[in-house]
């Protein structure tokens, strides 16, 4: 089946024009030419979307042929679109039949498809609002289309949630507050967290949080991820994936939580380890009260954890009797950590300049062998070098200038 001659001629001209443009190598274009072409393409994409959506808005006969409720089945089979994407486009096509101004601006290339979708979704919500009138809906459409000239699609989604406050602040303030309260209550009902052991040295987790808590978590994790990223950028090193940096940032956030502010019944992490394993290079410990309610870690990791927070180490003799229960006072106190930061400025490993806020306070003379929590025995080490300090495969020594040199064991 072919299109009629007029449409065929038009599409042939468009195809030829694109062939001509694709034959040109943009590497030889000036910056201004590239900017002009990108702006033209954005406008063209919007107009193309308007044409596509106009056709989808009249595709009832396609649905009749496939026996489906809409054309999404055909789009999935012939255009290889995911059904969710196809139905979203069909829904937008239907919305454009209701919102003439949005449809007109999209056809003119003044609105992108993403912006049109953001606006129509906001308008659909208003249309079902029992407080809103038809006049409110029209005014909201005008305001959002006007805002589209200076906002991204995501920003329009946010603006769309509160557009009624601009339409009539006195009338919609209370309604907005009630809607937000209901949203927060629904969020609490949806809040959930699952944590599981992957049995490969990692733990997986997934969950849903209320937006207020989730944004705070995101901000705190990014704060811990950014210093590491900045260090890599300054050194010219390739950046790892952002997800990995966030994972490391989340790890650091958990490692630096003060256990004294946590509930007394579960605030302190408990490491159970024999005195023999604590003292030798290769050994194991249990994080938790026993293997059933905890997990096995290396003695090196246990020693590293003991430098970071109020870990209660239960040191067992050969017959399992408790030899000593560590006290929080044996760890570097906040005032000592501040003094170390002032004195040492950065990680003390030779050649490392990780800033002090990313470093741990480490005992050069291990507490397990009689070391004391004194400033003269304390040294700042970044997470990487702190792991090396407790790793069986490395030794370390303090050089005359105070820096720490690591050497791989032969």
């Amino acid at each position: 089946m072919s299109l009629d001659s007029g449409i065929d001629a038009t599409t042939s001209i468009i195809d030829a024009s694109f062939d001509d443009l694709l034959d040109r190598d943009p590497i030889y274009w000036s910056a201004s030419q590239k900017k002009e072409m990108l702006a033209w393409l954005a406008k063209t994409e919007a107009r193309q979307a308007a044409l596509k959506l106009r056709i989808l808005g009249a595709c009832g006969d396609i649905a009749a042929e496939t026996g489906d409720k809409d054309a999404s089945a055909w789009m999935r089979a012939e255009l290889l679109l995911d059904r969710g994407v196809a139905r979203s486009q069909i829904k937008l096509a239907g919305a454009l039949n209701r919102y003439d101004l949005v449809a007109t601006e999209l056809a003119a290339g003044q609105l992108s498809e993403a912006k049109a979708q953001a606006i129509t979704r906001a308008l659909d919500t208003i249309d079902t609002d029992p407080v809103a009138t038809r006049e409110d809906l029209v005014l909201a459409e005008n305001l959002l289309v006007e805002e589209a000239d200076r906002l991204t699609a995501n920003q329009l989604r946010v603006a769309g949630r509160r557009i009624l406050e601009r339409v009539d602040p006195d009338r919609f303030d209370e309604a907005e507050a009630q809607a937000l309260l209901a949203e927060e209550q629904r969020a609490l009902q949806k809040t959930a967290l699952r944590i599981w052991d992957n049995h490969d040295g990692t733990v997986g987790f997934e969950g849903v949080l209320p937006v207020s808590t989730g944004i705070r978590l995101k901000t705190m994790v990014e704060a811990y991820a950014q210093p590491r990223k900045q260090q890599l950028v300054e050194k010219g090193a390739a950046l790892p994936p952002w997800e990995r940096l966030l994972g490391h940032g989340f790890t650091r956030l958990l490692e630096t939580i003060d256990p004294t502010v946590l509930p007394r019944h579960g605030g302190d992490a408990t490491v159970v380890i024999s005195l023999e394993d604590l003292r030798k290079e290769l050994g194991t410990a249990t994080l938790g009260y026993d293997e059933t309610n905890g997990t096995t870690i290396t003695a090196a990791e246990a020693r590293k954890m003991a430098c970071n927070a109020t870990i209660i180490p239960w040191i067992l003799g050969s017959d399992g009797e408790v030899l000593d229960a560590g006290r929080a006072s044996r760890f570097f106190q906040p005032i000592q950590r501040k003094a170390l930061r002032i004195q040492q400025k950065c990680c003390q490993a030779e050649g490392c300049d990780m800033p002090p806020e990313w470093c741990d306070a480490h005992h050069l003379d291990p507490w397990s062998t009689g070391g004391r929590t004194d400033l003269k025995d304390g040294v700042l080490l970044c997470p990487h070098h702190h792991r090396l300090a407790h790793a069986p495969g490395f030794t370390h020594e303090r050089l005359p200038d105070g820096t720490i040199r690591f050497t791989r064991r032969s």
Side-chain angles (χ1 to χ4, degrees):
M1 183 182 297
S2 62
L3 300 169
D4 65 46
S5 58
I7 297 178
D8 271 336
T10 301
T11 55
S12 294
I13 292 171
I14 294 173
D15 283 340
S17 298
F18 271 99
D19 287 340
D20 178 59
L21 289 171
L22 288 168
D23 284 339
R24 303 170 186 267
D25 192 342
I27 196 172
Y28 299 110
W29 298 0
S30 67
S32 60
Q33 288 174 318
K34 293 173 185 174
K35 289 190 290 185
E36 289 175 7
M37 180 57 69
L38 289 172
W40 177 81
L41 284 171
K43 187 172 183 177
T44 301
E45 286 173 2
R47 304 192 73 191
Q48 176 186 331
L51 177 59
K52 173 188 66 178
L53 293 167
R54 187 175 296 175
I55 297 170
L56 287 176
C59 65
D61 50 350
I62 297 177
E65 284 187 2
T66 62
D68 201 15
K69 66 178 183 180
D70 56 38
S72 61
W74 177 85
M75 296 170 74
R76 182 182 182 189
E78 298 296 326
L79 305 181
L80 301 180
L81 284 181
D82 290 329
R83 181 167 292 192
V85 174
R87 285 187 170 166
S88 176
Q89 291 184 352
I90 291 172
K91 183 178 180 180
L92 177 57
L96 292 179
N97 289 332
R98 299 191 299 274
Y99 306 119
D100 292 339
L101 181 57
V102 179
T104 300
E105 292 296 298
L106 181 65
Q110 301 303 313
L111 275 182
S112 68
E113 182 176 352
K115 289 184 179 182
Q117 189 170 70
I119 292 174
T120 55
R121 284 180 177 174
L123 296 177
D124 282 346
T125 300
I126 294 172
D127 197 28
T128 60
D129 189 328
V131 180
T133 64
R134 180 65 190 174
E135 290 73 19
D136 295 329
L137 186 64
V138 172
L139 183 52
E141 182 180 4
N142 280 275
L143 288 172
L144 287 173
V145 167
E146 182 181 326
E147 294 277 75
D149 286 339
R150 63 180 187 83
L151 298 180
T152 66
N154 281 334
Q155 290 170 331
L156 271 176
R157 291 188 187 96
V158 175
R161 297 190 195 112
R162 306 184 68 87
I163 193 66
L164 287 179
E165 290 185 21
R166 292 182 55 191
V167 171
D168 190 337
D170 293 335
R171 189 156 47 98
F172 289 107
D173 272 350
E174 183 178 351
E176 176 68 13
Q178 291 176 347
L180 286 175
L181 179 60
E183 184 178 84
E184 290 173 358
Q185 291 172 341
R186 288 193 300 270
L188 287 175
Q189 293 298 318
K190 293 179 180 178
T191 298
L193 179 65
R194 288 199 316 119
I195 304 174
W196 62 90
D197 190 342
N198 290 322
H199 302 292
D200 62 357
T202 65
V203 168
F205 58 92
E206 65 179 8
V208 177
L209 298 174
V211 65
S212 58
T213 306
I215 294 301
R216 281 160 54 205
L217 175 62
K218 179 176 180 290
T219 301
M220 289 187 286
V221 169
E222 287 179 344
Y224 276 100
Q226 286 291 351
R228 173 66 175 159
K229 178 181 176 181
Q230 186 61 34
Q231 289 290 308
L232 293 171
V233 169
E234 291 174 356
K235 293 179 180 179
L239 285 175
W242 179 237
E243 291 81 3
R244 189 185 306 165
L245 284 173
L246 285 180
H248 291 167
F250 187 51
T251 300
R252 293 292 295 154
L253 172 63
L254 295 179
E255 288 178 342
T256 53
I257 291 175
D258 181 3
T260 60
V261 303
L262 299 178
R264 291 177 62 85
H265 64 271
D268 294 325
T270 301
V271 177
V272 179
I273 186 170
S274 69
L275 183 60
E276 179 183 0
D277 278 340
L278 183 65
R279 286 177 171 170
K280 67 184 181 182
E281 294 295 341
L282 290 174
T284 61
T286 299
L287 180 58
Y289 289 98
D290 52 48
E291 293 183 0
T292 302
N293 300 300
T295 187
T296 301
I297 60 175
T298 64
E301 181 67 12
R303 286 189 291 269
K304 183 178 87 69
M305 291 175 65
C307 294
N308 286 336
T310 311
I311 306 300
I312 298 179
W314 292 92
I315 305 168
L316 307 180
S318 57
D319 296 326
E321 73 276 14
V322 176
L323 299 181
D324 189 17
R327 299 179 305 277
S329 60
R330 75 175 181 82
F331 305 105
F332 287 100
Q333 299 301 298
I335 189 63
Q336 290 176 302
R337 290 176 181 269
K338 290 180 181 179
L340 287 173
R341 290 182 180 186
I342 293 172
Q343 292 173 351
Q344 300 182 6
K345 311 298 184 186
C346 64
C347 173
Q348 293 301 285
E350 190 176 27
C352 184
D353 58 359
M354 186 69 72
E357 58 268 20
W358 264 69
C359 293
D360 303 323
H362 171 70
H363 294 76
L364 280 176
D365 185 7
W367 174 86
S368 59
T369 59
R372 297 173 60 85
T373 309
D374 295 331
L375 287 180
K376 62 181 180 60
D377 188 46
V379 62
L380 292 182
L381 292 177
C382 68
H384 169 71
H385 287 107
H386 196 187
R387 283 190 291 272
L388 289 189
H390 293 283
F394 286 83
T395 62
H396 57 283
E397 60 177 328
R398 180 174 246 168
L399 301 180
D401 63 358
T403 57
I404 308 300
R405 173 172 294 170
F406 289 87
T407 307
R408 186 181 293 275
R409 294 184 190 274
S410 56

